[in-house]
Amino acid sequence: AMKLLYAPGACSIGIHVLMEELGKPYEGVAVSLRDGAQFKPEFTSVNPKSKVPTLVDDEGTVRTEFPAIAYWLARTNPFANLLPDNIDLQARALELMDYCVATIHMQGFSRIFRAANYSPNAAHEPAVKARGTEIAEKGFAELNTALAGKDYAVGPFSIADAALFY
């Protein structure tokens, strides 16, 4: 069975959602980011990037980065319809997923939850958190517009919705 290394409360929950949606057997392995488990040899021997999500497929191939894992799951499991057939809708799904992961999560949330990573001076942390909040709020406004009147991002449930979920 595949193995998903994830962290509770992190964006890897979106990949967890996709794994459940597929209904295939997998092992979920919680990684405690608070305890620094992602920097320990047990994790870095699998993913030297020290990041979740990390997916190990049935053949032992390691896949990393949310968009790449989500895309791979969609393309290798066409029965689940996790990516629309229409090229324009595919592009829109990838656009929304990237915006969630690269902008809202990595620029907004990371400043809010890990302000110390952005300045050696603790006195600057409130300003860093405030900037993260601005980025996240702008992102939420964009997503609110993109989702107006829709149940899902690009038609039926897709990989974009898994990224939006977090």
Side-chain angles (χ1 to χ4, degrees):
M2 289 190 276
K3 184 187 296 186
L4 172 64
L5 292 92
Y6 71 96
C11 73
S12 54
I13 188 68
I15 300 299
H16 214 145
V17 167
L18 292 175
M19 298 299 291
E20 289 295 320
E21 189 71 19
L22 293 175
K24 290 183 168 183
Y26 73 96
E27 177 187 357
V29 179
V31 177
S32 177
L33 302 182
R34 288 187 194 276
D35 296 335
Q38 72 275 29
F39 301 115
K40 295 181 178 156
E42 299 82 32
F43 188 90
T44 59
S45 65
V46 177
N47 182 355
K49 294 175 183 175
S50 299
K51 291 175 64 182
V52 295
T54 299
L55 183 70
V56 183
D57 72 17
D58 293 332
E59 287 78 42
T61 301
V62 176
R63 307 201 185 275
T64 66
E65 306 302 330
F66 188 112
I69 294 169
Y71 181 78
W72 182 82
L73 287 171
R75 293 301 305 263
T76 57
N77 295 281
F79 70 89
N81 297 314
L82 294 174
L83 194 60
D85 289 332
N86 177 290
I87 189 70
D88 292 326
L89 292 177
Q90 284 180 15
R92 183 70 172 146
L94 294 174
E95 173 190 344
L96 288 168
M97 182 171 54
D98 186 63
Y99 185 63
C100 284
V101 174
T103 301
I104 299 172
H105 298 176
M106 298 307 296
Q107 293 184 41
F109 290 178
S110 68
R111 281 176 172 81
I112 295 167
F113 298 118
R114 292 189 184 84
N117 290 352
Y118 290 87
S119 177
N121 186 336
H124 296 158
E125 289 182 24
V128 169
K129 288 181 181 184
R131 180 65 183 125
T133 300
E134 288 173 17
I135 292 168
E137 286 176 352
K138 180 180 180 188
F140 292 152
E142 280 291 318
L143 295 177
N144 197 45
T145 299
L147 293 169
K150 299 178 186 175
D151 291 331
Y152 297 106
V154 293
F157 178 84
S158 74
I159 57 176
D161 297 295
L164 290 164
F165 176 75
Y166 174 69

